[in-house]
Amino acid sequence: MSRRKLELYENIFNRVGPGKSKVTIVEVAAFLHCSERHARTLLNQMTTLGWLTWSPTVGRGNKGILNCLLEPIQACHKEIDKANDNSNLDLVYKLVGFNGRDTAAGLWQYLSQAVTEKHNTILAPFHRCMKTLHPHFVTERTERHFISEIYQTLVEEKANKVAGNLAHFWESNHNHTVWTFYLRPETQFHDLSLLTADDVVASFKGLIHSAQWQRLYDHIEKVIAVSFDVVEIHLSAPDPFFTQLLCRAETAIMPKQFVFANESHFKAIGSGPFSLAVNSNKLVRLQRFSQYNRTSALIDKIEFWIHENWAERKKCYQNFFFLNDSLKVYETACDYVGLFYCLIANKQLQNQDVKQNLAAAFLGNQTQADTQYSVYTVSHENNRECREYAKQLFSYFGNSHAPQTLKMKEVKFGQFINGLDVSILGVRKEDNKYTSLFAFLKLYPHWASVLSFTQYDYLQQKISAIRIEADVVRQQALISYVMAWLEQQHILFEIKREGLTLTVPEQIQGVEINANGWCNFSKLWIKPSKEKSGVTSSMESLIAKY
């Protein structure tokens, strides 16, 4: 049995996940980068080995049933057992290093698991695939939290203070236009390559050219690798609180070869506490990275099991953790993870009466709008709350229009459409409320069409003043003032503060919900139950409870 076959099996497993999946032989061939004929041969060989079963359907293009029976590492260990029984130690060492794994670490894992099977795994149900986890492209809440678990930023925010993360020390010149960061020595990526200043430079080059984020980082002039582990970032304007921006998920550092890689060649490899072991349409698995340069995670794995049908039942404000043998749960909540706003983009509608009518609609007022003005086009974000608000507007203004003239358009978080009457959007608190509000002011791309020339000029002056303000209290006051000014101009007003709840089995400890609706996974640990429950609950029965 060759190591290559294991690697090909892992390619399949990483694309379809465990259990049964419907795929065509064309798709399998694409996973394996081979011809359809050779793909059939490989599937037959893997079936003989007991790794999977393949039930093709007659007719080209028809989907067969592919059932992955073993985890790739289980298949590896099964083959190692055979090689060991035959005293073929050369093959043992080759097998444990399949797909670029460290041979020593792989052999240690095999020996330890040969003695005892570990069950130090937390499960979570989820309702959609996560696709690419490239820091420059993700905007969704859960994906941005995953970025913080897989990658490291130069610094991080803890209890409203900036602390070291990938950088152990940093400093700036007298006017805060040149920032120098000193990287932790011998930091390794999940593929065990060393993280260097060149990776930081490449990551920031990608960031400042990102269509999604470039407006927020438009004052970065250049990023220089001073040495192997020292980086300088030069700014075009003073920014005393530049490090607060560097706590955000999009500033995560990745290997330089993946920064500009297309989706088919990108790999989510970071240096954080967890590596991405599987990212399929049925399972996302994070696995503890033992070479992490900070305190190692306390759990081995956390798995997100995916089923799209859960989307209709899942409430956006609630997430879940599960254990295989735990039924008793508790809830922990954060009452402020963000804000929902209404942005009145049409200048003709920016007045007190329209704002009051919109506010009434969001409160569920059943009174119909008068016909003195019209709201025809509305965009809303792709979450349950924003969809509900859009429905309320449709109900409120529906009788004022012919039904076909009131248009609703759904967008992803952070995407904005120009030329609409009203947009329903969210601003997420994440690590810092004021940094997030400032990011919204910088990232919203259509201020020039929403505001008058005088208003636009005034807003840009205030944004510039916020960026160079050296006193944190005055800076926060300026941000609050600008948000209040937008409301006074009848352009933007708050609909509701957003909260989140996390439902957790009582055995899971170390849970402190964050503004992403999850928590620091590396601090989670499982407290053994004093009394073993007589009932063992399957994943399906637990998920059925919600």
Side-chain angles (χ1 to χ4, degrees):
M1 210 287 299
S2 70
R3 185 171 85 170
R4 180 59 180 159
K5 202 159 287 151
L6 270 175
E7 293 172 342
L8 293 173
Y9 177 64
E10 188 167 53
N11 286 350
I12 294 174
F13 189 91
N14 286 347
R15 297 301 295 268
V16 302
K20 295 180 180 179
S21 299
K22 291 183 177 181
V23 293
T24 65
I25 192 64
V26 175
E27 291 172 322
V28 175
F31 299 160
L32 300 175
H33 303 289
C34 67
S35 67
E36 295 174 31
R37 181 178 180 179
H38 190 48
R40 291 187 182 93
T41 300
L42 289 169
L43 288 174
N44 289 334
Q45 292 172 350
M46 292 175 188
T47 298
T48 302
L49 289 166
W51 299 350
L52 55 75
T53 61
W54 166 243
S55 303
T57 303
V58 177
R60 182 173 176 81
N62 290 336
K63 294 190 174 185
I65 303 298
L66 181 65
N67 186 7
C68 291
L69 303 173
L70 296 178
E71 300 276 334
I73 197 66
Q74 290 176 319
C76 175
H77 290 174
K78 182 179 177 182
E79 298 307 315
I80 290 173
D81 286 339
K82 295 177 186 177
N84 199 22
D85 289 342
N86 295 324
S87 299
N88 190 349
L89 295 182
D90 287 340
L91 181 56
V92 168
Y93 276 78
K94 288 179 181 178
L95 293 175
V96 295
F98 79 103
N99 253 343
R101 287 170 170 80
D102 179 76
T103 302
L107 186 60
W108 184 278
Q109 182 185 23
Y110 168 70
L111 292 174
S112 65
Q113 291 192 358
V115 176
T116 178
E117 282 291 326
K118 296 179 181 178
H119 299 284
N120 195 12
T121 300
I122 293 174
L123 309 175
F126 205 61
H127 61 286
R128 56 178 172 78
C129 299
M130 296 192 196
K131 297 183 180 179
T132 180
L133 286 171
H134 193 302
H136 299 167
F137 298 136
V138 301
T139 60
E140 302 288 358
R141 186 193 305 278
T142 295
E143 280 88 332
R144 283 176 68 79
H145 179 68
F146 269 50
I147 294 298
S148 70
E149 300 288 352
I150 297 170
Y151 303 87
Q152 287 179 277
T153 48
L154 289 174
V155 291
E156 60 183 346
E157 189 146 343
K158 290 185 174 181
N160 297 319
K161 291 185 179 179
V162 175
N165 192 0
L166 187 54
H168 66 87
F169 182 75
W170 60 95
E171 59 190 349
S172 71
N173 63 351
H174 70 284
N175 67 348
H176 308 295
T177 56
V178 179
W179 289 81
T180 306
F181 297 88
Y182 301 84
L183 309 181
R184 296 184 189 276
E186 300 299 314
T187 295
Q188 291 181 309
F189 285 117
H190 298 148
D191 63 358
L192 302 185
S193 64
L194 282 179
L195 187 155
T196 72
D198 288 338
D199 297 301
V200 178
V201 171
S203 295
F204 274 93
K205 283 185 177 178
L207 179 66
I208 61 181
H209 288 93
S210 163
Q212 179 68 38
W213 304 109
Q214 62 183 352
R215 287 183 299 278
L216 185 55
Y217 301 92
D218 57 4
H219 61 329
I220 297 179
E221 279 192 329
K222 58 184 177 180
V223 184
I224 302 171
V226 177
S227 68
F228 187 79
D229 56 0
V230 179
V231 177
E232 277 185 1
I233 301 180
H234 294 245
L235 308 179
S236 60
D239 189 346
F241 296 102
F242 180 58
T243 51
Q244 289 181 332
L245 279 184
L246 301 187
C247 300
R248 292 172 57 85
E250 66 270 11
T251 69
I253 306 304
M254 65 193 101
K256 56 182 178 291
Q257 67 268 30
F258 295 126
V259 174
F260 294 101
N262 60 38
E263 187 172 347
S264 62
H265 291 89
F266 176 76
K267 292 183 179 179
I269 294 176
S271 57
F274 290 92
S275 64
L276 182 66
V278 178
N279 187 9
S280 72
N281 62 355
K282 291 175 13 182
L283 173 67
V284 177
R285 175 183 294 137
L286 298 182
Q287 191 160 305
R288 177 170 56 202
F289 179 48
S290 57
Q291 281 76 38
Y292 180 47
N293 62 13
R294 310 289 297 282
T295 304
S296 294
L298 299 174
I299 57 169
D300 291 335
K301 288 179 274 190
I302 182 164
E303 297 183 345
F304 281 65
W305 291 79
I306 298 166
H307 200 299
E308 292 182 356
N309 288 351
W310 295 332
E312 289 301 316
R313 287 189 285 172
K314 181 187 178 298
K315 298 174 182 176
C316 289
Y317 61 78
Q318 191 159 30
N319 290 320
F320 295 81
F321 282 145
F322 289 132
L323 291 175
N324 276 326
D325 61 352
S326 178
L327 287 175
K328 294 181 179 179
V329 298
Y330 67 93
E331 290 186 348
T332 180
C334 180
D335 64 357
Y336 178 32
V337 299
L339 296 160
F340 291 112
Y341 283 99
C342 176
L343 190 150
I344 306 173
N346 186 338
K347 294 187 182 75
Q348 304 299 318
L349 302 178
Q350 292 170 0
N351 60 66
Q352 182 69 22
D353 290 341
V354 172
K355 187 171 73 173
Q356 286 180 345
N357 275 276
L358 288 169
F362 293 132
L363 289 172
N365 192 324
Q366 297 301 310
T367 305
Q368 300 298 321
D370 60 38
T371 57
Q372 295 178 2
Y373 62 89
S374 297
V375 173
Y376 288 104
T377 53
V378 177
S379 72
H380 62 86
E381 289 173 359
N382 59 340
N383 58 67
R384 191 167 181 173
E385 281 83 353
C386 286
R387 290 188 190 107
E388 289 300 318
Y389 288 135
K391 288 178 183 177
Q392 288 170 216
L393 283 192
F394 190 89
S395 174
Y396 191 78
F397 292 105
N399 287 353
S400 301
H401 312 300
Q404 66 272 17
T405 63
L406 188 57
K407 304 295 183 184
M408 299 284 181
K409 298 184 179 181
E410 183 167 295
V411 299
K412 291 182 179 180
F413 177 88
Q415 294 184 356
F416 308 100
I417 301 176
N418 197 17
L420 302 179
D421 292 328
V422 169
S423 292
I424 304 167
L425 52 88
V427 176
R428 295 171 185 160
K429 179 184 175 186
E430 295 195 338
D431 294 313
N432 185 294
K433 164 186 155 184
Y434 294 100
T435 303
S436 296
L437 289 172
F438 177 73
F440 165 70
L441 293 172
K442 283 289 294 180
L443 291 172
Y444 184 73
H446 306 307
W447 289 125
S449 61
V450 171
L451 306 177
S452 68
F453 178 81
T454 303
Q455 288 172 328
Y456 180 77
D457 186 56
Y458 181 76
L459 178 62
Q460 296 308 308
Q461 290 178 25
K462 290 300 180 185
I463 289 174
S464 298
I466 290 168
R467 173 154 274 174
I468 65 174
E469 178 55 61
D471 182 89
V472 64
V473 175
R474 287 200 294 266
Q475 185 194 58
Q476 292 176 357
L478 267 173
I479 294 171
S480 297
Y481 171 81
V482 170
M483 298 301 291
W485 173 78
L486 287 169
E487 181 167 356
Q488 291 166 3
Q489 301 299 309
H490 313 304
I491 295 162
L492 185 75
F493 68 88
E494 179 184 330
I495 303 172
K496 179 187 175 184
R497 178 178 284 198
E498 184 182 14
L500 275 170
T501 300
L502 184 60
T503 301
V504 186
E506 62 179 1
Q507 291 168 252
I508 298 180
Q509 307 292 306
V511 178
E512 186 176 340
I513 194 168
N514 61 23
N516 285 323
W518 295 103
C519 55
N520 187 334
F521 293 164
S522 64
K523 291 185 177 180
L524 301 178
W525 61 283
I526 301 171
K527 185 178 181 180
S529 178
K530 292 183 179 179
E531 295 182 8
K532 188 70 175 177
S533 172
V535 178
T536 299
S537 180
S538 68
M539 184 69 181
E540 289 78 9
S541 64
L542 281 165
I543 290 169
K545 292 173 70 67
Y546 94 101

